[in-house]
Amino acid sequence: MQFGIFTVGDVTADPTTGRTPTEAERIKAMVAIARKAEEVGLDVFATGEHHNPPFVPSSPTTMLGYIAASTERLILSTATTLITTNDPVKIAEDFAMLQHLADGRVDLMLGRGNTGPVYPWFGKDIRDGIPLAVENYALLHRLWREDVVDWEGRFRTPLQGFTSTPRPLDGVAPFVWHGSIRSPEIAEQAAYYGDGFFANNIFWPTGHFQRLIELYRRRFEHYGHGSADQAVVGLGGQVFMRKNSQDAIREFRPYFDNAPVYGHGPSLEDFMDQTPLTVGSPQQVIDKTLTFREHFGDYQRQLFLMDHAGLPLQTVLEQLDLLGEEVVPVLRKEFDALRPAHVPDGPTHAALLAARNTEGAAADQTSEVQA
């Protein structure tokens, strides 16, 4: 089981002080948060991709490459790579380069994004969102697995005898998660390729994400990648902690009430009751997170959102101390004890390489027997 954090990189005023960090401060804070994540024993740091204010992470691979240079163990990922508006050729090149720089500590999460204007900014039509996601990933998948690609599609110029460089590290493509909050077509896409499916699990009630994950699991088995419970699932989560739950609620309430996404909407109490948001003590976070397995089955990656809505850097670092010292060790022990032996661990480059080598050896033995 992998545990980590994801950031959307919002630049938001602190409602308790009225101060808004500069873009430079926010970017440096995200780097500091990633380093802290490794320090406290987390497995993954993931950043979103946005091209509009009030967000700053417009170039995820630049940031992740910088973080790779000052970390040793942390898996570096995106919380969204826009498969609809990015050129799949550039995605193939950028993430293969990052793979080499980070010694394989790289994967990515593909998504369509939630900002409508981004489509025309990059010369696309939002009405083509699903077809773009399907076609662009079909090309990306081939670019990482075929040395020379001939390709023609609907949304970009054809390729003839094209080789994406650099080639993936050790000949193993980065692991891909397909992220969605509402689209069964994306769950189907993840299942078809045998990739991971990531349910944001932040804003909507549990039943909504249960349906998406159940669809993905059924179709994963249908396509012959393994049993439904072996499908690779990731979940989001959102927490704010203090030793005392009353202190956590009192401190977090102004940030919740003024957050760009859900501020001025349901009350904090209603939101906690109806979504996975947990504001309280470390034990309350443990208890609620453990219920995710009851709702979604055994899964491989849990990412928490912790640095949003104007929370100051020092507060986020304190949250990471609590997460790493008091919450994750318990969750890791509990989840690992419950997971059956046939259910896979979270994906890593080393595991993918070992699986590729095992499959190759088995294929060689079969060829020798047939000969």
Side-chain angles (χ1 to χ4, degrees), residues 51-72:
H51 299 276
N52 58 292
F55 305 99
V56 292
S58 58
S59 181
T61 53
T62 304
M63 170 170 283
L64 295 177
Y66 186 88
I67 294 170
S70 59
T71 56
E72 297 179 355

Side-chain angles (χ1 to χ4, degrees), residues 112 130 179-188 197 208 212 215:
R112 292 183 293 134
I130 292 293
S180 179
I181 62 172
R182 59 184 176 271
S183 302
E185 296 92 341
I186 301 305
E188 176 76 15
F197 181 70
H208 170 78
L212 280 176
L215 170 63

Side-chain angles (χ1 to χ4, degrees), residues 272-283:
M272 284 194 292
D273 181 59
Q274 297 172 26
T275 79
L277 172 65
T278 309
V279 180
S281 68
Q283 186 60 52

Side-chain angles (χ1 to χ4, degrees), residues 45-48 60-61 64 76-81 95 107-110:
F45 172 81
T47 175
T61 53
L64 295 177
L76 305 171
S77 182
T78 51
T80 304
T81 293
F95 281 89
D107 55 35
L108 69 160
M109 187 190 307
L110 301 179

Side-chain angles (χ1 to χ4, degrees), residues 169-185:
L169 178 65
D170 300 319
V172 176
F175 187 82
V176 171
W177 302 84
H178 300 257
S180 179
I181 62 172
R182 59 184 176 271
S183 302
E185 296 92 341

Side-chain angles (χ1 to χ4, degrees), residues 170 172 349-366:
D170 300 319
V172 176
H349 180 77
L352 295 172
L353 178 60
R356 195 274 310 273
N357 291 341
T358 299
E359 291 172 1
D364 290 342
Q365 291 177 353
T366 300

